[in-house]
Amino acid sequence: MTLEFDTRFDPAYGQAVTVASDVQRITARNPSPFTFHGTNSYLVGRETVAVIDPGPDDDQHLGTLLAAIGGRPVSHIFVSHTHRDHSPLAAQLKERTGATVLAEGLHRPARRLRIGEVNPLDASADLGFVPDVALADDSLTHGDGWTIRTVLTPGHTANHAAFALEGTGVLFSADHVMAWATSIVAPPDGAMADYMKSLDRLIERGDHLLLPGHGGPVTTPRSFMRGLKTHRKMRERAILERIRGGDRMIKDMVAAIYRDTDPRLHGAAGLSVLAHLEDLVDRGLVATEGDLAIDGIFTPTH
C-alpha cells in the first residue's frame, strides 16, 4: 500500500483553529526537524474545556492557550507522553486554571538500560512530570459535554497514549500517527514491537479523523495507517537486505537506507534502525555478539 505524506500545513501561530466540532488546535512556535511546524495543543469543549497536550514550557504558547480558553473553566489537562515538546507546560497551565493533569504515568524507558548504555534521549524527556491521575487503558474521563477514552499506544515512548473523543470518531493520535512523517521509534525510550502492536490497535478502531501532535489531520486513518505498517515492514526488509549484503554496523545501514534524508535526522534514523534490529534479534532473524547496541556488529542468522 502506497504511503503518501501530507506536508501542507498552516500552523496559524497565535490563533486557535477549529478542526472538529468543539475542538480547536493551537500550534506552538517550536518548529524543528522533529516537531515539523511545532507542537499541536487542542482545546475540547464549549463551556468547560479540556486541554490535550499543553506543549513546551513557553510563555508565548501559554499566552495563546489562555487567550483561546478565554476565561472558561479548564477541568482537565491530558498529556499524551512526556517529551519536552508535549508535557512541560502542564505545570504552569495547572497553576493558572486549577485543572487536573492526566497521563499514563511517569517518563520511563521501554526497557532497562544495558550495562554501560547511556540514554541519548534523556535531554528530550520531561523527567519531572508527575500526573495527578494515572490513566488506565480504555478508561473513560467525563467532562462538560464530552467523554474521552484513553487508548494506550506505547511505541514512540513507553507511556504514550492516544485520546478518543467518544461518539465522534475523532482520535488525538499525538506522535503515534502523523500525516507529515513517520513517528520516531528510538530505543530505549521506544520499542518497535510495541509500536506495531499499537498501530494494529488503532487500525482496528476505525476512527475517521486523527488529530496528531504535529502537522495536519489524518483524514483517511485506516488506509494511511496500513500504509505506515507497510512502510515499516519495507524498512525492516531493507535492513535485512543490507545485513545479508554485508553491512554489519548501523551507521553503514543508515548511510545507504537514509541517503535522501536530512542529515540532521541521521542520528534519529540510527536509533530507528536499532529499534528494528531489537525486534529482528528477538525474532531470531538477526544475531549480534553481546548486548544489542547502537555500535554493535550484526549478522544474518540465515
Side-chain angles (χ1 to χ4, degrees):
M1 184 167 296
T2 303
L3 178 61
E4 295 184 2
F5 295 114
D6 185 356
T7 57
R8 300 168 297 172
F9 180 66
D10 178 6
Y13 295 129
Q15 303 176 42
V17 179
T18 298
V19 291
S21 179
D22 297 332
V23 179
Q24 293 178 299
R25 181 187 69 222
I26 300 99
T27 302
R29 197 185 293 267
N30 62 329
S32 78
F34 299 97
T35 61
F36 196 34
H37 290 285
T39 303
N40 293 331
S41 300
Y42 294 95
L43 302 184
V44 178
R46 292 185 186 180
E47 302 299 326
T48 298
V49 300
V51 176
I52 295 178
D53 276 350
D57 191 3
D58 178 86
D59 289 341
Q60 186 178 32
H61 187 53
L62 176 63
T64 303
L65 279 175
L66 291 173
I69 291 166
R72 290 176 292 177
V74 179
S75 57
H76 301 78
I77 300 169
F78 292 88
V79 172
S80 66
H81 65 294
T82 44
H83 279 158
R84 288 187 178 275
D85 56 323
H86 287 263
S87 57
L89 200 60
Q92 279 200 68
L93 194 59
K94 175 185 176 179
E95 185 178 341
R96 295 290 192 97
T97 64
T100 300
V101 178
L102 308 92
E104 187 272 353
L106 306 179
H107 191 85
R108 64 185 186 279
R111 58 164 172 76
R112 290 184 177 181
L113 294 182
R114 301 182 176 105
I115 295 174
E117 183 180 15
V118 175
N119 185 352
L121 301 174
D122 266 354
S124 66
D126 185 5
L127 300 176
F129 175 83
V130 180
D132 299 317
V133 175
L135 292 167
D137 191 30
D138 263 337
S139 60
L140 296 175
T141 304
H142 302 284
D144 184 8
W146 53 262
T147 297
I148 286 177
R149 181 182 297 274
T150 297
V151 184
L152 296 187
T153 48
H156 176 65
T157 60
N159 66 352
H160 194 284
F163 301 111
L165 194 55
E166 285 288 279
T168 68
V170 174
L171 179 127
F172 300 91
S173 56
D175 284 10
H176 193 75
V177 179
M178 301 175 289
W180 72 284
T182 56
S183 176
I184 293 173
V185 181
D189 264 22
M192 189 59 67
D194 291 344
Y195 177 85
M196 296 299 282
K197 289 176 185 175
S198 296
L199 193 59
D200 281 339
R201 183 178 185 193
L202 293 190
I203 291 170
E204 291 168 4
R205 279 186 51 84
D207 297 293
H208 69 72
L209 180 68
L210 304 188
L211 298 175
H214 307 278
V218 178
T219 56
T220 56
R222 184 165 281 174
S223 61
F224 183 77
M225 288 190 286
R226 285 173 176 159
L228 280 178
K229 186 175 180 180
T230 299
H231 173 82
R232 296 287 184 178
K233 290 295 185 183
M234 289 175 63
R235 184 57 44 83
E236 177 184 284
R237 283 199 297 273
I239 292 168
L240 279 171
E241 287 171 5
R242 297 304 307 180
I243 293 175
R244 289 167 180 164
D247 283 357
R248 294 292 175 261
M249 300 192 72
I250 287 175
K251 62 182 179 64
D252 299 319
M253 300 177 213
V254 169
I257 297 171
Y258 292 88
R259 58 184 175 274
D260 297 325
T261 299
D262 185 338
R264 293 176 295 175
L265 298 176
H266 278 197
L271 290 170
S272 180
V273 171
L274 178 62
H276 277 289
L277 286 167
E278 287 188 343
D279 188 35
L280 289 167
V281 168
D282 189 56
R283 288 155 54 194
L285 299 175
V286 172
T288 187
E289 292 185 13
D291 283 336
L292 200 158
I294 191 73
D295 57 353
I297 305 297
F298 298 90
T299 55
T301 56
H302 55 79

